[in-house]
Structures are given as C-alpha cells and as structure tokens.
Amino acid sequence: MSWQTYVDEHLMCDIDGLGLHLAAASIIGLDGSFKPDEITGIITDFAEPGHLAPTGLHLGGVKYMVIQGEPGAVIRGKKGSGGITIKKTGQALVFGIYEEPVTPGQCNMVVERLGDFLIDQGL
C-alpha cells in the first residue's frame, strides 16, 4: 500500500459518518527525500519539544500557533477556527489540516489513529 492510499482511505475519509472531511492531509517519509525548512523545523521539534513554540509552526506558508501535544509524538497547531495535527511514526510524518466544522478533536482522532496503526505495522 502506498502512502497516497493511506491518505485517501484513512485521512481524507468521512469523519464519524457526518460527511465531514479534513481540509488537507499528507504523509511525508522520514527518508530524507523531502526537507524544506518547514519540515526540518517540524522534525527538530519532535527531537527537541518546544523548538517551534517561539516562532510558530509554518507549513505551506501558513503559520500555526503551537498548542498542546505529546512531546516527541504529536504536534498540534491552531490558526483561527482551524488547525493542524502532526503525528510522527517510525518512518513518516502524518499531517492533517482542519477547518470548521471539523473540530480539533476530530482531526486529532483521524491523524493519531492512522499514526498509531502505522507504528503498530512497523512503519
């Protein structure tokens, strides 16, 4: 199964049968093939929790305020009524971006559930 299949079937799926979907989602491998400054900062924050707090989390040119997460495992950010959840697995970063009416908790559930599954699979 390719990363795109996981994105299509597990991240961009209907949330709780409510007809809600994440605004955007992606899985980026940690194999070193994709390292713009934004991703490097995110990877650094997983290794050194709190690294992004002073400057914010930047992704796709959008700045998110870093909010509570799980050091070394999950980074969460907020921008207006939307936000982002990033889960680190052994081989990848799993991203979910949400906008209203999707809630932060729904985004967290979708992203972290897939991330936990990938970790269980050794990915």
Side-chain angles (χ1 to χ4, degrees):
M1 188 178 273
S2 73
W3 289 135
Q4 189 61 49
T5 302
Y6 285 112
V7 171
D8 295 342
E9 294 180 5
H10 299 282
L11 293 175
M12 296 305 291
C13 61
D14 183 354
I15 299 172
D16 296 332
L18 301 173
L20 302 175
H21 302 274
L22 296 178
S26 180
I27 299 176
I28 298 174
L30 292 174
D31 58 7
S33 62
F34 190 83
K35 297 271 184 173
D37 293 342
E38 294 174 336
I39 300 301
T40 302
I42 291 167
I43 291 170
T44 300
D45 196 79
F46 278 112
E48 303 168 22
H51 170 78
L52 292 174
T55 60
L57 184 160
H58 294 80
L59 188 66
V62 176
K63 179 180 178 181
Y64 298 88
M65 178 178 64
V66 178
I67 56 175
Q68 93 289 353
E70 298 171 26
V74 178
I75 298 171
R76 296 185 184 107
K78 185 95 173 115
K79 179 174 175 42
S81 60
I84 186 169
T85 302
I86 308 168
K87 172 78 174 184
K88 182 178 182 291
T89 74
Q91 295 183 18
L93 298 176
V94 180
F95 294 82
I97 298 173
Y98 67 93
E99 297 172 356
E100 283 187 330
V102 174
T103 67
Q106 289 169 320
C107 182
N108 296 343
M109 177 194 65
V110 169
V111 171
E112 293 176 41
R113 184 170 45 196
L114 177 59
D116 290 341
F117 171 79
L118 292 174
I119 289 168
D120 289 347
Q121 300 301 308
L123 301 172

